[in-house]
Coordinates of all heavy atoms in Angstrom, one line a residue:
Chain N
W53 N -8.7 -17.7 -19.7 CA -8.2 -16.9 -18.7 C -6.6 -16.9 -18.8 O -5.9 -15.9 -18.7 CB -8.7 -17.4 -17.3 CG -7.8 -17.1 -16.1 CD1 -7.0 -17.9 -15.4 CD2 -7.7 -15.8 -15.4 NE1 -6.5 -17.3 -14.3 CE2 -6.8 -16.0 -14.3 CE3 -8.2 -14.5 -15.7 CZ2 -6.5 -14.9 -13.5 CZ3 -7.8 -13.5 -14.8 CH2 -7.0 -13.7 -13.7
K54 N -6.1 -18.1 -19.0 CA -4.7 -18.3 -19.1 C -4.2 -17.6 -20.4 O -3.1 -17.0 -20.3 CB -4.4 -19.8 -19.2 CG -3.8 -20.3 -17.9 CD -3.2 -21.7 -17.8 CE -3.1 -22.6 -18.9 NZ -3.0 -24.0 -18.5
A55 N -4.9 -17.6 -21.4 CA -4.5 -17.0 -22.7 C -4.6 -15.4 -22.6 O -4.2 -14.8 -23.5 CB -5.2 -17.5 -23.8
G56 N -5.2 -14.9 -21.6 CA -5.5 -13.5 -21.5 C -6.7 -13.0 -22.2 O -6.8 -11.8 -22.5
D57 N -7.6 -13.9 -22.6 CA -8.7 -13.5 -23.3 C -9.9 -13.2 -22.4 O -11.0 -12.7 -22.8 CB -9.2 -14.6 -24.3 CG -8.2 -14.8 -25.5 OD1 -7.4 -13.9 -25.7 OD2 -8.2 -15.9 -26.1
M58 N -9.8 -13.6 -21.2 CA -10.8 -13.3 -20.2 C -10.2 -12.6 -19.0 O -9.0 -12.8 -18.6 CB -11.5 -14.6 -19.7 CG -12.7 -15.0 -20.6 SD -13.4 -16.5 -20.0 CE -14.9 -15.9 -19.4
F59 N -11.0 -11.8 -18.2 CA -10.5 -11.0 -17.1 C -11.2 -11.5 -15.9 O -12.2 -12.1 -15.9 CB -10.7 -9.5 -17.3 CG -9.9 -9.0 -18.5 CD1 -10.5 -9.0 -19.8 CD2 -8.6 -8.6 -18.3 CE1 -9.7 -8.6 -20.9 CE2 -7.9 -8.2 -19.4 CZ -8.4 -8.2 -20.7
M60 N -10.6 -11.1 -14.7 CA -11.0 -11.7 -13.5 C -12.5 -11.6 -13.2 O -13.1 -12.6 -12.8 CB -10.2 -11.0 -12.3 CG -9.8 -11.9 -11.3 SD -8.3 -11.4 -10.4 CE -8.8 -10.0 -9.6
P61 N -13.2 -10.4 -13.3 CA -14.6 -10.4 -13.0 C -15.4 -11.3 -13.9 O -16.4 -11.9 -13.5 CB -15.0 -8.9 -13.4 CG -13.7 -8.2 -13.3 CD -12.7 -9.1 -13.8
A98 N -5.5 -16.4 12.1 CA -5.9 -15.6 13.2 C -5.1 -14.2 13.2 O -4.0 -14.1 12.8 CB -5.5 -16.2 14.6
G99 N -5.8 -13.2 13.5 CA -5.2 -11.8 13.5 C -5.3 -11.1 12.2 O -4.9 -10.0 12.1
D100 N -5.8 -11.8 11.2 CA -5.8 -11.2 9.8 C -7.3 -11.0 9.3 O -7.9 -12.0 9.2 CB -5.0 -12.0 8.9 CG -4.2 -11.2 7.9 OD1 -4.8 -10.2 7.5 OD2 -3.1 -11.5 7.5
L101 N -7.6 -9.8 9.0 CA -9.0 -9.5 8.6 C -9.1 -9.3 7.1 O -10.1 -8.9 6.5 CB -9.6 -8.3 9.3 CG -10.4 -8.5 10.5 CD1 -9.6 -9.3 11.6 CD2 -10.9 -7.2 11.1
H102 N -8.0 -9.6 6.4 CA -8.0 -9.4 4.9 C -8.6 -10.6 4.2 O -8.1 -11.7 4.5 CB -6.6 -9.2 4.4 CG -5.9 -7.9 4.9 ND1 -5.3 -7.9 6.2 CD2 -5.9 -6.7 4.5 CE1 -4.9 -6.7 6.4 NE2 -5.2 -5.9 5.4
D103 N -9.5 -10.4 3.4 CA -10.2 -11.6 2.8 C -10.3 -11.6 1.3 O -10.7 -12.6 0.8 CB -11.6 -11.7 3.4 CG -12.5 -10.5 3.2 OD1 -12.0 -9.5 2.6 OD2 -13.7 -10.5 3.7
I104 N -9.9 -10.5 0.6 CA -10.2 -10.6 -0.9 C -9.5 -11.7 -1.6 O -10.1 -12.4 -2.4 CB -10.0 -9.2 -1.5 CG1 -10.4 -9.3 -3.0 CG2 -8.6 -8.7 -1.4 CD1 -10.5 -7.9 -3.7
L108 N -11.2 -14.9 -3.5 CA -11.0 -15.1 -4.9 C -10.6 -16.5 -5.1 O -11.2 -17.2 -6.1 CB -9.8 -14.2 -5.4 CG -10.1 -12.8 -5.8 CD1 -8.8 -12.1 -6.2 CD2 -11.1 -12.8 -6.9
D126 N -9.6 -14.4 10.1 CA -9.3 -14.3 11.5 C -9.6 -15.6 12.2 O -10.2 -15.6 13.3 CB -10.1 -13.1 12.1 CG -9.6 -12.7 13.5 OD1 -8.5 -13.1 13.8 OD2 -10.3 -11.9 14.2
T151 N 2.7 -9.7 7.8 CA 3.9 -10.5 8.1 C 3.8 -11.0 9.6 O 4.4 -12.0 9.8 CB 5.2 -9.7 7.9 OG1 5.0 -8.4 8.6 CG2 5.5 -9.4 6.5
T152 N 3.1 -10.3 10.4 CA 3.0 -10.8 11.8 C 2.1 -12.1 11.9 O 2.2 -12.9 12.7 CB 2.2 -9.8 12.7 OG1 1.3 -9.1 12.0 CG2 3.2 -9.0 13.5
T153 N 1.1 -12.2 10.9 CA 0.2 -13.3 11.1 C 0.8 -14.5 10.2 O 0.3 -15.7 10.4 CB -1.2 -13.0 10.6 OG1 -1.1 -12.5 9.3 CG2 -1.8 -12.0 11.5
P155 N 3.4 -16.4 10.6 CA 3.8 -17.6 11.4 C 2.7 -18.5 11.9 O 2.9 -19.6 12.2 CB 4.6 -16.9 12.6 CG 5.0 -15.6 12.1 CD 3.9 -15.2 11.2
R156 N 1.5 -17.9 12.0 CA 0.3 -18.7 12.3 C 0.2 -19.9 11.4 O -0.3 -21.0 11.8 CB -1.0 -17.9 12.2 CG -1.1 -16.7 13.1 CD -1.4 -17.1 14.6 NE -0.2 -17.0 15.4 CZ 0.4 -15.9 15.7 NH1 -0.1 -14.8 15.4 NH2 1.5 -16.0 16.4
A180 N -0.1 -12.0 -0.3 CA 0.9 -11.1 -0.9 C 2.3 -11.3 -0.3 O 3.3 -11.4 -1.0 CB 0.5 -9.6 -0.9
P181 N 2.5 -11.3 1.1 CA 3.9 -11.4 1.6 C 4.4 -12.8 1.6 O 5.6 -13.0 1.9 CB 3.8 -10.8 3.0 CG 2.4 -11.1 3.4 CD 1.6 -11.1 2.1
V182 N 3.6 -13.8 1.3 CA 4.0 -15.2 1.4 C 4.8 -15.5 0.2 O 4.5 -15.2 -0.9 CB 2.8 -16.1 1.5 CG1 3.2 -17.5 1.6 CG2 1.9 -15.7 2.7
T183 N 6.0 -16.2 0.4 CA 6.8 -16.6 -0.7 C 6.9 -18.1 -0.7 O 6.6 -18.8 0.2 CB 8.2 -16.0 -0.6 OG1 8.8 -16.5 0.7 CG2 8.2 -14.5 -0.5
E185 N 9.7 -19.8 -0.7 CA 10.7 -20.2 0.3 C 10.0 -20.4 1.6 O 10.3 -21.3 2.4 CB 11.8 -19.2 0.4 CG 12.7 -19.0 -0.8 CD 12.1 -18.0 -1.8 OE1 12.0 -16.8 -1.5 OE2 11.6 -18.4 -2.9
N198 N -0.8 -16.3 -6.8 CA -2.0 -15.5 -6.8 C -3.2 -16.4 -6.9 O -3.0 -17.7 -7.1 CB -2.0 -14.5 -8.0 CG -1.7 -15.2 -9.3 OD1 -2.4 -16.2 -9.7 ND2 -0.7 -14.8 -10.0
A199 N -4.4 -15.9 -6.8 CA -5.6 -16.7 -6.6 C -5.8 -17.5 -8.0 O -6.3 -18.6 -7.9 CB -6.8 -15.8 -6.3
G200 N -5.5 -16.8 -9.1 CA -5.7 -17.4 -10.4 C -4.9 -18.7 -10.5 O -5.4 -19.7 -11.2
Chain V
H42 N -13.7 -2.7 14.7 CA -13.5 -3.9 15.6 C -12.8 -3.6 16.9 O -11.7 -4.1 17.2 CB -12.7 -4.9 14.8 CG -13.4 -5.5 13.6 ND1 -14.1 -6.7 13.7 CD2 -13.6 -5.0 12.4 CE1 -14.7 -6.9 12.5 NE2 -14.3 -5.9 11.7
T107 N 7.1 -1.3 4.7 CA 6.8 -2.7 4.8 C 6.8 -3.7 3.7 O 6.2 -4.8 3.8 CB 5.4 -2.9 5.5 OG1 4.4 -2.3 4.7 CG2 5.4 -2.2 6.9
P109 N 7.9 -7.1 1.9 CA 8.7 -8.1 2.6 C 10.1 -8.3 1.9 O 11.0 -8.8 2.6 CB 7.9 -9.4 2.3 CG 6.9 -9.0 1.2 CD 6.7 -7.6 1.2
N110 N 10.3 -7.9 0.7 CA 11.6 -8.1 0.0 C 12.3 -6.8 -0.2 O 11.8 -5.7 -0.2 CB 11.4 -8.8 -1.3 CG 10.6 -10.0 -1.2 OD1 10.8 -10.9 -0.3 ND2 9.6 -10.2 -2.1
R119 N 16.8 -10.0 -5.5 CA 15.7 -9.7 -4.6 C 15.9 -10.8 -3.5 O 16.2 -12.0 -3.7 CB 14.4 -10.0 -5.4 CG 13.1 -10.2 -4.6 CD 12.2 -10.7 -5.6 NE 10.8 -10.7 -5.3 CZ 10.2 -11.8 -4.9 NH1 10.8 -13.0 -4.7 NH2 8.8 -11.8 -4.7
S148 N 10.0 -4.7 5.7 CA 9.6 -5.1 7.0 C 10.7 -6.2 7.3 O 10.9 -7.2 6.7 CB 8.2 -5.8 6.9 OG 7.9 -6.4 8.1
N154 N 10.2 -12.2 15.8 CA 8.9 -11.9 15.2 C 8.0 -11.0 16.0 O 7.8 -11.2 17.2 CB 8.2 -13.3 15.0 CG 6.8 -13.1 14.3 OD1 6.7 -12.2 13.4 ND2 5.8 -13.8 14.7
G155 N 7.5 -10.0 15.4 CA 6.7 -9.0 16.1 C 7.4 -7.8 16.6 O 6.8 -6.8 17.1
W176 N 5.7 2.8 11.6 CA 4.5 2.0 11.6 C 4.7 1.0 12.7 O 5.8 0.8 13.2 CB 4.3 1.3 10.3 CG 5.4 0.4 10.0 CD1 6.6 0.7 9.4 CD2 5.5 -1.0 10.3 NE1 7.4 -0.3 9.3 CE2 6.8 -1.4 9.8 CE3 4.7 -1.9 10.9 CZ2 7.2 -2.7 10.0 CZ3 5.1 -3.2 11.1 CH2 6.4 -3.6 10.6
F178 N 3.0 -3.0 14.5 CA 2.0 -4.0 14.5 C 0.8 -3.7 15.4 O -0.3 -3.8 15.1 CB 2.6 -5.4 14.9 CG 3.7 -5.8 14.0 CD1 5.1 -5.9 14.4 CD2 3.5 -6.2 12.6 CE1 6.1 -6.4 13.6 CE2 4.4 -6.6 11.8 CZ 5.7 -6.8 12.2
E211 N -3.3 2.0 8.8 CA -4.2 1.9 7.8 C -5.5 1.1 8.1 O -5.3 0.0 8.7 CB -3.6 1.4 6.5 CG -3.0 0.0 6.5 CD -2.4 -0.4 5.1 OE1 -1.6 0.3 4.7 OE2 -2.9 -1.4 4.6
I213 N -8.7 -1.2 6.6 CA -8.8 -2.1 5.5 C -10.1 -1.8 4.6 O -11.2 -1.6 5.1 CB -9.0 -3.6 6.1 CG1 -7.9 -3.9 7.0 CG2 -9.1 -4.6 4.9 CD1 -8.0 -5.2 7.8
S214 N -9.9 -1.7 3.3 CA -10.9 -1.5 2.4 C -11.7 -2.9 2.2 O -11.1 -3.9 2.2 CB -10.4 -1.1 1.0 OG -10.2 0.3 1.0
V217 N -13.5 -1.1 6.8 CA -13.2 -1.8 8.0 C -12.0 -1.1 8.8 O -11.0 -0.9 8.2 CB -12.8 -3.3 7.7 CG1 -12.4 -4.0 9.0 CG2 -14.0 -4.0 7.1
S218 N -12.3 -0.9 10.1 CA -11.2 -0.5 10.9 C -10.9 -1.7 11.9 O -11.7 -2.0 12.7 CB -11.5 0.8 11.8 OG -11.4 1.9 11.0
D219 N -9.8 -2.4 11.7 CA -9.5 -3.5 12.5 C -9.1 -3.1 13.9 O -8.7 -1.9 14.0 CB -8.6 -4.5 11.8 CG -7.2 -4.0 11.7 OD1 -7.0 -3.2 10.7 OD2 -6.3 -4.2 12.6
Y220 N -9.0 -4.0 14.8 CA -8.7 -3.7 16.2 C -7.4 -2.8 16.3 O -7.4 -1.7 16.9 CB -8.6 -4.9 17.1 CG -8.2 -4.6 18.5 CD1 -9.2 -4.2 19.4 CD2 -6.9 -4.7 18.9 CE1 -8.8 -3.9 20.7 CE2 -6.5 -4.3 20.2 CZ -7.5 -3.9 21.1 OH -7.1 -3.6 22.4
H221 N -6.3 -3.4 15.7 CA -5.0 -2.7 15.9 C -5.0 -1.4 15.3 O -4.3 -0.4 15.7 CB -3.9 -3.6 15.5 CG -3.7 -4.8 16.4 ND1 -3.4 -4.7 17.7 CD2 -3.9 -6.1 16.2 CE1 -3.4 -5.9 18.2 NE2 -3.7 -6.7 17.3
I243 N -8.4 -0.8 -3.6 CA -8.1 -1.5 -4.9 C -9.3 -1.4 -5.8 O -10.3 -2.1 -5.6 CB -7.8 -3.0 -4.5 CG1 -6.7 -3.1 -3.5 CG2 -7.3 -3.7 -5.8 CD1 -6.4 -4.5 -3.0
G246 N -11.7 -4.1 -6.9 CA -11.5 -5.3 -5.9 C -12.2 -4.9 -4.6 O -13.3 -5.4 -4.3
T247 N -11.6 -4.0 -3.9 CA -12.1 -3.7 -2.5 C -12.9 -2.4 -2.5 O -13.5 -2.1 -1.5 CB -11.0 -3.5 -1.5 OG1 -10.1 -2.5 -1.9 CG2 -10.1 -4.8 -1.4
L288 N -7.1 -2.8 -9.5 CA -6.8 -4.2 -9.6 C -6.6 -4.5 -11.0 O -7.5 -4.3 -11.8 CB -7.9 -5.0 -9.0 CG -7.8 -6.5 -8.9 CD1 -6.6 -6.9 -8.1 CD2 -9.1 -7.1 -8.4
D289 N -5.5 -5.0 -11.4 CA -5.3 -5.5 -12.8 C -6.0 -6.8 -13.0 O -5.7 -7.8 -12.4 CB -3.8 -5.6 -13.1 CG -3.6 -6.1 -14.6 OD1 -4.0 -7.2 -14.9 OD2 -3.1 -5.3 -15.4
M290 N -7.1 -6.8 -13.8 CA -8.0 -7.9 -13.9 C -7.4 -9.0 -14.8 O -7.9 -10.1 -14.9 CB -9.3 -7.5 -14.5 CG -10.1 -6.5 -13.7 SD -10.5 -7.2 -12.0 CE -11.5 -5.8 -11.3
R291 N -6.3 -8.8 -15.4 CA -5.6 -9.8 -16.2 C -4.6 -10.5 -15.4 O -4.5 -11.8 -15.4 CB -5.0 -9.2 -17.5 CG -4.0 -10.1 -18.1 CD -4.7 -11.0 -19.1 NE -3.8 -11.9 -19.8 CZ -3.3 -13.1 -19.2 NH1 -3.6 -13.4 -18.0 NH2 -2.5 -13.8 -19.9
F292 N -3.9 -9.8 -14.6 CA -2.8 -10.4 -13.8 C -3.1 -10.5 -12.3 O -2.2 -10.9 -11.5 CB -1.4 -9.7 -14.0 CG -1.0 -9.8 -15.5 CD1 -1.2 -8.7 -16.4 CD2 -0.4 -10.9 -16.0 CE1 -0.9 -8.8 -17.7 CE2 -0.1 -11.0 -17.3 CZ -0.3 -10.0 -18.2
S293 N -4.2 -10.1 -11.9 CA -4.6 -10.0 -10.5 C -3.6 -9.5 -9.6 O -3.3 -10.0 -8.5 CB -5.2 -11.4 -10.0 OG -4.3 -12.4 -10.1
I365 N 5.8 -5.2 -3.6 CA 6.2 -6.4 -2.9 C 7.7 -6.3 -2.6 O 8.2 -6.9 -1.7 CB 6.0 -7.7 -3.8 CG1 4.4 -7.9 -4.0 CG2 6.5 -8.9 -3.1 CD1 3.6 -8.2 -2.8
V491 N 3.3 -12.4 20.3 CA 2.8 -11.4 19.4 C 1.3 -11.3 19.6 O 0.6 -12.2 19.5 CB 3.1 -11.8 17.9 CG1 2.7 -10.7 17.0 CG2 4.6 -12.2 17.8
H493 N -2.4 -10.7 19.3 CA -3.5 -10.5 18.2 C -4.8 -10.6 18.9 O -5.2 -11.5 19.6 CB -3.3 -11.5 17.1 CG -3.0 -12.9 17.5 ND1 -4.1 -13.8 17.7 CD2 -1.9 -13.6 17.7 CE1 -3.6 -15.0 18.0 NE2 -2.2 -14.9 18.0
E494 N -5.6 -9.6 18.6 CA -7.0 -9.5 19.1 C -8.0 -10.4 18.4 O -8.0 -10.4 17.2 CB -7.4 -8.0 19.0 CG -8.8 -7.7 19.7 CD -8.8 -7.7 21.2 OE1 -7.6 -7.8 21.8 OE2 -9.8 -7.7 21.8

Side-chain angles (χ1 to χ4, degrees):
Chain N
W53 158 252
K54 253 185 10 201
D57 293 339
M58 271 181 111
F59 296 91
M60 224 154 65
D100 217 323
L101 263 59
H102 294 86
D103 58 0
I104 185 168
L108 274 179
D126 196 14
T151 48
T152 30
T153 55
R156 297 284 99 73
V182 179
T183 59
E185 296 86 68
N198 55 56
Chain V
H42 295 263
T107 64
N110 305 313
R119 169 193 193 259
S148 177
N154 181 41
W176 61 275
F178 297 114
E211 65 177 58
I213 303 170
S214 279
V217 174
S218 283
D219 68 276
Y220 176 83
H221 292 298
I243 309 174
T247 61
L288 179 61
D289 181 293
M290 298 296 188
R291 167 77 182 87
F292 297 100
S293 54
I365 300 294
V491 184
H493 47 90
E494 182 74 7

